[in-house]
Amino acid sequence: MFLTLAISLISVIAFAQNSHIKFMGIELNGTISEFQTKIQTKGAMVSPDSKSYPNGTRVYNGTFSGEKATIIVWYNERTKQVYRAKAIIKRYGKDMIEQVMSTMEGKLDLKYGTDCKESELVKDDYLHEFKQSGYTLENGIIGLFVTSGGFTDQVQFSLHIDYHDKENYAKNTAEEMDDL
């Protein structure tokens, strides 16, 4: 009994150490084609705006944690390996975006805990002050921050929930360094 439990626990720990961070329940691993197939089953559609983004980036319109969002996925142009994904939720008004930020932060705290979280107050280019948080996990990093489109409190604000897979982000960076 004890031996079976120990072997099971070791297997779970070994699997957890090798797994990739998940975005919308999908591992940030594999090719952009594989990732696109999976994200489309969740209702996301390739955005017409995708063509205006740089190579190695694909943009989708969809829903992230119950909110209408623009979803951006980064992949290595040569290998097509996915390494980063971000959801952007937009609202008009500082109060509105702060409500969404608080909700998303609460959800991330529940899922990942607060031991892996660091937060600080930052000012954006328009002097709006917001809390910015980062969750450092064994298999990646999740950033949570707000940007704004102007000086008043009634402009459009964007909440960014940004996922970086540790292993694939490092691979992409190493490959880019080969160009230097």
Side-chain angles (χ1 to χ4, degrees), residues 8 11 41 49 84 98 110 119 125 130 135 139 143 176 180:
S8 297
S11 298
T41 63
D49 296 338
R84 179 181 173 197
E98 285 177 330
L110 279 173
S119 298
D125 294 342
F130 290 101
Y135 296 80
N139 56 359
E176 287 177 348
L180 301 175

Side-chain angles (χ1 to χ4, degrees), residues 1-177:
M1 171 80 173
F2 178 73
L3 182 60
T4 304
L5 181 62
I7 291 171
S8 297
L9 187 59
I10 290 169
S11 298
V12 169
I13 291 169
F15 175 76
Q17 290 175 343
N18 294 328
S19 68
H20 294 269
I21 197 167
K22 289 183 179 180
F23 176 82
M24 294 179 61
I26 306 166
E27 281 192 348
L28 287 179
N29 194 26
T31 66
I32 185 63
S33 297
E34 294 166 341
F35 190 86
Q36 181 167 306
T37 298
K38 292 173 185 173
I39 202 166
Q40 285 178 325
T41 63
K42 295 184 175 278
M45 302 300 294
V46 176
S47 171
D49 296 338
S50 197
K51 292 178 182 178
S52 65
Y53 279 74
N55 291 342
T57 311
R58 193 152 306 158
V59 181
Y60 303 87
N61 295 321
T63 302
F64 179 84
S65 192
E67 297 283 346
K68 180 179 173 184
T70 299
I71 298 163
I72 305 172
V73 178
W74 285 264
Y75 61 95
N76 183 287
E77 185 64 21
R78 292 180 195 143
T79 65
K80 307 300 182 206
Q81 179 74 51
V82 171
Y83 61 89
R84 179 181 173 197
K86 177 195 289 193
I88 302 172
I89 301 166
K90 297 180 180 182
R91 289 287 190 282
Y92 283 94
K94 187 174 180 181
D95 290 342
M96 297 299 289
I97 203 68
E98 285 177 330
Q99 289 174 9
V100 178
M101 168 81 160
S102 179
T103 300
M104 287 299 162
E105 184 177 28
K107 289 177 182 181
L108 288 167
D109 287 352
L110 279 173
K111 183 168 184 176
Y112 298 106
T114 57
D115 290 345
C116 63
K117 175 181 164 184
E118 290 186 29
S119 298
E120 64 180 334
L121 289 177
V122 295
K123 288 187 180 181
D124 70 6
D125 294 342
Y126 299 102
L127 305 178
H128 294 286
E129 188 172 76
F130 290 101
K131 183 164 76 168
Q132 174 177 294
S133 296
Y135 296 80
T136 304
L137 309 172
E138 190 173 306
N139 56 359
I141 296 171
I142 302 169
L144 186 66
F145 61 94
V146 174
T147 58
S148 65
F151 287 104
T152 74
D153 285 354
Q154 299 308 312
V155 296
Q156 187 174 51
F157 293 85
S158 300
L159 174 64
H160 301 253
I161 307 104
D162 196 0
Y163 290 67
H164 295 79
D165 182 76
K166 182 179 180 180
E167 181 181 332
N168 289 335
Y169 196 84
K171 284 180 186 177
N172 181 68
T173 301
E175 183 163 317
E176 287 177 348
M177 299 285 279

